[in-house]
Each structure stands twice: as structure tokens, then as C-alpha cells.
């Protein structure tokens, strides 16, 4: 994760060096003083942008139980329009039904996670059954995306105490549960998030309802204006 910050700094440093060289070349032509002032303005604007990036408050928008054949593509289109990346925790049985939607999620730069195969409470299953729920879903997702999932959200947030499955996966829960599946009320969903959101929070939503799509878009539009940046859970947890 740190490499991203180093890369940004290097790019800015390289830009400064390039501009300085250009300034020296043109100095002999009598434009040095004018160009130096112009470059100062460029550097000032760039520094302001870097400061704004560092000041943004990161939060993660996550969606469970998909993919849905109708509403997941609508959610993806809305996210793309706003330049937002999210995390989708998928059910294996839905992955089997709609592989093209899974592929679209991955191709558009979102993080694909595991939500088990049938949305069963893992702690109430035997170790073997719980492992199969996770492993089967991982294999299905990997067959479509070429990427083996690293992040797991257990159904109901209920982790099997002895769940190992010989896999090194990161368990991801949440800070704000919108209960969008229950209310299916646009206003209630939006208010739940806006009133409770804090920096580094993970928001739990679902991508199988029309009201979830519209509410997610209002949440994004509102919080972006308040200085929040939406990122995937891996960026939030490890950046």
C-alpha cells in the first residue's frame, strides 16, 4: 500500500525536475523570469491537490448477497458515473447463476469478496460444511475473475470459531448496518448512514433492491461533498 504514496511523490518530484530544466533552457531566450512565476503557480496548485487528497476521510461502501441480475448492474452504472469503487460480498449460489455480472464487477475495478455459498449461519454448521461453503464460493469466483478472494464476510457476521479451511482470509464485518433489506425505505437508509458516519467506517448495504441503489447514490453524493472518499475495504484496512 505504501508504494502508492511513494509513486505519487515521485511523480510530483519528476514534474518539478522537468519544469526546472525547461525553465533553465528558456531562460536564455528572456522568458526565464516569466516561466519561473508560472511554474510557481503550477506547483502551488499541485501542492493544494496533494493536500486535499491527504485530508479526505476514507470510508468503504459494501454490498452483500449479490450478484442480482437487475439491480447489481444498475448499482455498477451509478458507481461508475460517480467514480466510486466498492466491495461486493457475493453468494456462491448467485455467482453460479449470474457469472457475467460477477465478471463486470471485477472488470470495473471493484473488490470481490466471499459471503459463503447459501447464506447459512456458519457457526451452526459442522467444520466440514462451513469450509465447503467458503471454499466452493472462492473457487466459483476465481473461475470467473481469475482472482482468488482474500476477504470474507460471514453471513449474519457470525464467524465459526474453528473455521480455518486452510485458507488465509480476512474477516470483514461493518460499522453501519443500513438494514436496507428490511426497510426498503430510501429516506431511512440514507438517514441511518448520514447521521452515524465516521472516518474509516464500513457501510453494509445490499445490491438486490431498487431502494438500495437510489439510497446508495444519495449517500455517495452527500458524503463526497462533506469530504469523504469511498474506497474498497482492502484500502481502508491496510492503506
Amino acid at each position: 500500500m505504501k508504494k502508492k504514496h511513494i509513486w505519487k511523490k515521485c511523480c510530483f518530484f519528476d514534474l518539478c525536475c522537468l519544469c526546472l530544466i525547461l525553465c533553465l533552457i528558456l531562460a536564455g531566450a528572456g522568458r526565464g523570469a516569466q516561466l519561473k512565476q508560472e511554474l510557481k503557480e503550477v506547483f502551488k496548485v499541485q501542492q493544494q491537490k496533494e493536500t486535499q487528497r491527504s485530508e479526505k476521510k476514507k470510508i468503504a461502501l459494501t454490498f452483500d448477497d449479490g450478484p442480482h441480475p437487475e439491480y447489481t448492474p444498475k448499482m455498477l452504472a451509478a458507481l461508475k458515473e460517480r467514480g466510486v469503487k466498492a466491495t461486493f460480498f457475493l453468494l456462491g449460489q448467485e455467482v453460479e447463476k449470474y457469472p457475467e455480472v460477477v465478471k463486470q464487477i471485477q472488470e470495473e475495478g471493484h473488490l470481490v469478496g466471499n459471503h459463503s455459498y447459501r447464506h447459512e449461519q456458519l457457526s451452526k454448521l459442522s467444520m466440514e460444511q462451513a469450509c465447503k461453503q467458503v471454499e466452493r464460493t472462492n473457487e466459483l469466483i476465481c473461475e470467473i475473475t481469475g482472482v482468488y478472494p482474500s476477504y470474507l464476510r460471514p453471513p449474519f457476521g457470525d464467524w465459526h470459531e474453528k473455521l480455518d479451511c486452510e485458507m488465509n482470509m480476512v474477516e470483514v464485518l461493518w460499522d453501519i448496518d443500513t438494514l436496507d433489506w428490511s426497510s426498503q425505505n430510501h429516506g431511512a437508509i440514507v438517514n441511518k448512514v448520514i447521521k452515524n458516519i465516521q472516518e474509516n467506517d464500513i457501510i453494509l448495504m445490499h445490491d438486490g433492491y431498487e431502494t438500495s441503489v437510489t439510497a446508495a447514490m444519495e449517500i455517495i453524493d452527500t458524503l463526497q461533498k462533506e469530504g469523504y472518499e469511498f474506497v474498497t475495504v482492502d484500502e481502508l484496512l491496510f492503506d
Side-chain angles (χ1 to χ4, degrees):
M1 296 300 174
K2 292 182 180 178
K3 290 182 179 179
K4 292 184 179 180
H5 301 301
I6 294 172
W7 182 83
K8 289 179 181 177
K9 291 178 183 177
C10 289
C11 287
F12 181 60
F13 178 76
D14 292 344
L15 176 62
C16 293
C17 292
L18 180 61
C19 291
L20 180 59
I21 293 171
L22 183 60
C23 179
L24 293 173
I25 292 174
L26 295 178
R31 291 195 57 215
Q34 178 184 350
L35 184 58
K36 182 183 285 187
Q37 183 59 37
E38 292 175 356
L39 291 176
K40 284 183 179 179
E41 295 300 321
V42 172
F43 296 157
K44 183 178 180 181
V45 171
Q46 186 65 27
Q47 288 175 334
Q48 289 175 341
K49 290 182 178 179
E50 292 294 328
T51 300
Q52 289 173 356
R53 289 194 191 101
S54 64
E55 290 178 350
K56 284 186 177 294
K57 299 170 286 186
K58 292 183 178 181
I59 51 178
L61 194 57
T62 67
F63 301 99
D64 286 7
D65 296 357
H68 188 279
E70 178 180 359
Y71 297 121
T72 301
K74 286 185 177 181
M75 189 75 77
L76 290 171
L79 291 171
K80 186 174 183 179
E81 182 180 352
R82 289 160 174 78
V84 167
K85 303 302 181 187
T87 303
F88 291 79
F89 290 100
L90 308 181
L91 289 173
Q93 62 183 8
E94 303 305 314
V95 170
E96 283 185 316
K97 295 177 186 176
Y98 312 110
E100 70 286 351
V101 182
V102 177
K103 188 174 182 180
Q104 182 183 357
I105 293 172
Q106 194 262 348
E107 288 181 343
E108 294 188 3
H110 304 286
L111 182 64
V112 178
N114 187 323
H115 196 42
S116 81
Y117 185 79
R118 290 194 181 89
H119 205 281
E120 295 181 86
Q121 197 167 347
L122 298 181
S123 66
K124 295 188 180 300
L125 302 177
S126 69
M127 268 294 295
E128 182 181 1
Q129 290 173 325
C131 285
K132 284 183 177 179
Q133 286 269 340
V134 176
E135 289 175 339
R136 186 176 180 186
T137 302
N138 275 345
E139 290 168 0
L140 288 168
I141 292 172
C142 187
E143 286 175 6
I144 297 168
T145 66
V147 179
Y148 205 78
S150 298
Y151 298 87
L152 170 67
R153 173 170 285 165
F156 311 105
D158 186 15
W159 183 258
H160 197 299
E161 290 183 2
K162 298 181 180 179
L163 184 60
D164 185 346
C165 307
E166 299 181 357
M167 292 179 294
N168 183 24
M169 298 189 74
V170 179
E171 179 189 12
V172 180
L173 298 180
W174 56 86
D175 299 292
I176 298 178
D177 185 353
T178 62
L179 297 175
D180 55 337
W181 62 272
S182 177
S183 71
Q184 295 189 42
N185 181 299
H186 175 103
I189 299 167
V190 173
N191 290 336
K192 184 77 176 287
V193 176
I194 302 303
K195 290 182 178 180
N196 296 286
I197 194 69
Q198 296 182 41
E199 185 175 5
N200 296 321
D201 275 355
I202 296 175
I203 304 167
L204 168 59
M205 299 189 71
H206 299 77
D207 50 327
Y209 309 93
E210 181 70 39
T211 49
S212 295
V213 176
T214 59
M217 296 311 102
E218 183 172 344
I219 289 168
I220 291 171
D221 292 341
T222 301
L223 294 182
Q224 281 183 330
K225 292 177 182 177
E226 294 182 8
Y228 286 94
E229 178 184 5
F230 289 85
V231 299
T232 51
V233 294
D234 55 338
E235 294 178 83
L236 190 66
L237 296 175
F238 298 110
D239 199 349

